[in-house]
Amino acid sequence: MTRIELTVDGAKVVDDVEPRLLLVQYLREQLGKTGTVIGCDTASCGACTVHLDGHSVKSCNVLAVQADGAEVTTIEGIATNGELHPLQEAFRECHALQCGFCTPGMIMQSADLLAENPHPTEAQIREGLEGNLCRCTGYQNIVRAVRYAADATSATTDGGAA
Ligand code: FES
Ligand code: FES
């Protein structure tokens, strides 16, 4: 077992884990963060996407021990004071989910995309989300939601100017 210390959704945690334990398994099975889901386990679908020190990673492709000392944010940690994150709001507003299985990963990947590029074009959104799959084929509304969130955020940043 290896001791790890990290911050998950704002809370410090210290745990002893097997060196082979995947970060997604650690989050779900040891911390109960089941909002992060497993779609493929082979780094193909993006459903397990979380942020590691502010950047999106597929948590089925990272070992828990690699997160030692890091800050991990999951879908369960992005709302603040009971207020949905702008992307959560946008996905709801734009009907950007059907079964919802891909949604946590889509939102975490989109958050990283918007942090890097607050005003992406449609092509840039599609490229930014190409590692995230939606089996309900809801891509059209997902792209719309990311644009919606980008517009909402820039309206806030610009002082709410319409
Ligand atoms: S479960 Fe990690 S990419 Fe599919
Ligand atoms: S909403 Fe069902 S997989 Fe995307």
Side-chain angles (χ1 to χ4, degrees):
M1 298 291 252
T2 302
R3 175 145 299 194
I4 57 172
E5 298 187 24
L6 62 161
T7 304
V8 181
D9 293 337
K12 296 251 180 235
V13 286
V14 181
D15 265 313
D16 293 321
V17 298
E18 294 233 24
R20 64 181 178 164
L21 186 72
L22 297 173
L23 179 59
V24 69
Q25 292 170 325
Y26 173 66
L27 292 171
R28 287 177 56 83
E29 294 164 21
Q30 250 166 278
L31 300 185
K33 298 272 182 188
T34 51
T36 301
V37 296
I38 301 172
C40 67
D41 223 357
T42 54
S44 304
C45 76
C48 64
T49 303
V50 299
H51 292 179
L52 185 64
D53 285 335
H55 293 290
S56 60
V57 295
K58 292 178 174 175
S59 60
C60 72
N61 203 31
V62 176
L63 295 168
V65 292
Q66 291 177 293
D68 184 29
E71 185 150 343
V72 174
T73 306
T74 77
I75 189 68
E76 296 178 51
I78 62 167
T80 42
N81 301 325
E83 295 280 325
L84 292 180
H85 184 280
L87 275 161
Q88 292 174 306
E89 194 67 56
F91 271 61
R92 182 173 72 176
E93 191 63 33
C94 298
H95 307 288
L97 57 132
Q98 293 180 53
C99 78
F101 197 82
C102 69
T103 311
M106 286 286 183
I107 287 178
M108 297 311 287
Q109 182 62 25
S110 300
D112 191 22
L113 169 70
L114 291 183
E116 297 275 323
N117 178 4
H119 301 291
T121 63
E122 178 169 339
Q124 287 170 331
I125 295 170
R126 289 183 184 277
E127 190 183 335
L129 294 179
E130 68 186 4
N132 290 67
L133 305 181
C134 175
R135 291 204 166 198
C136 301
T137 62
Y139 296 106
Q140 205 63 26
N141 283 356
I142 289 170
V143 172
R144 236 167 37 87
V146 178
R147 295 193 71 144
Y148 183 98
D151 290 346
T153 308
S154 69
T156 311
T157 314
D158 299 343

